[in-house]
Amino acid sequence: MAKFITIEGGEGAGKSTVIKTIQAHLQKKGIAHIITREPGGTVLAEKIRSLLLDQGDEILLPESELLLFFAGRYQHIQHVIKPALKEGLWVISDRFVDASFAYQGAGRGIEEARIEYLKEWLIGDLCPDHTLLLDAPPYIGLDRIKARGALDRIEMEKIDFFNRVREYYLQLADKEPARFHIIDTRLCLEDVEENVQLWLRHLE
Ligand code: T5A
């Protein structure tokens, strides 16, 4: 049966790395799936991703940022996520709507009710079956991505912003224990991979 799985966490928490492990596992098991991401996932949503992450001359206001994330998400849901689930595929998405509550809500300070309104309107009852939260103190993820190369517009935020994002994710995971599974990505790659494998076995 189709499953909708999302991967969340702070900057450089290891999502791309963990998704490779998940993909290898699903391929080995012969489980038909797609790997997708937000912001992005469709041609148009990938263009919106560039607007959101590239450094521009004009300040992108929090409200505009929120609406751009939702515009891309709606394209992604209608053109990719729902059709794939309907076909019976597993959908693995690198981030989904929880990120809007964490980043634009807790991070930027936009009232939760406004995000909730967009969620109800545009997402309805589509909810991930499982969410893997990759957790580490923000300075660890930021050090890792700094070592990788140049930072994008959001990655240049202050550490307090990322602390609020992390705190929000942890509180949400606490509120929805049936959906969330937390993996500590302070651990070395081998240990993270082993924990991801254990979680995947429990999903089957
Ligand atoms: N955003 C997104 C919002 O504000 N609102 C929204 O609604 C949505 C959907 C883009 C940005 O958009 C924001 C959040 C983001 O700021 P993104 O593309 O997912 O989202 O950006 P990042 O979270 O920044 O993703 P990254 O690709 O930068 O990081 P990953 O995928 O979490 O980390 P990964 O796997 O690339 O690892 C980073 C580095 O660390 C190493 C890896 O080898 C790599 O070099 N690493 C480890 N090293 C040691 N030990 C470990 N356990 C390691 N795990 C990874």
Side-chain angles (χ1 to χ4, degrees), residues 89-106:
L89 305 180
W90 284 33
V91 174
I92 316 299
S93 184
D94 185 339
R95 298 191 185 279
F96 190 58
V97 69
D98 294 329
S100 286
F101 286 96
Y103 282 79
Q104 283 64 55

Side-chain angles (χ1 to χ4, degrees), residues 8-18 37-39 49 53 65 69 73 94-101 103-104 134 141 144-145 148 152 154-155 161-162 184-190 192:
E8 299 279 356
E11 309 305 295
K15 292 179 284 57
S16 312
T17 310
V18 159
R37 68 173 181 182
E38 288 196 0
R49 179 185 176 92
L53 300 186
E65 181 183 78
F69 274 114
R73 179 166 299 132
D94 185 339
R95 298 191 185 279
F96 190 58
V97 69
D98 294 329
S100 286
F101 286 96
Y103 282 79
Q104 283 64 55
L134 303 181
R144 285 177 185 161
I145 55 177
R148 195 181 56 186
D152 67 35
I154 296 178
E155 288 164 350
F161 174 89
F162 298 114
D184 183 347
T185 55
R186 279 174 295 192
L187 301 172
C188 67
L189 281 171
E190 291 71 26
V192 169

Side-chain angles (χ1 to χ4, degrees), residues 13-48:
K15 292 179 284 57
S16 312
T17 310
V18 159
I19 284 173
K20 284 185 201 136
T21 305
I22 296 174
Q23 187 167 27
H25 176 88
L26 296 179
Q27 274 164 356
K28 199 165 138 203
K29 293 278 171 182
I31 296 173
H33 63 278
I34 59 160
I35 306 286
T36 187
R37 68 173 181 182
E38 288 196 0
T42 77
V43 173
L44 202 143
E46 289 291 331
K47 289 184 183 166
I48 295 175

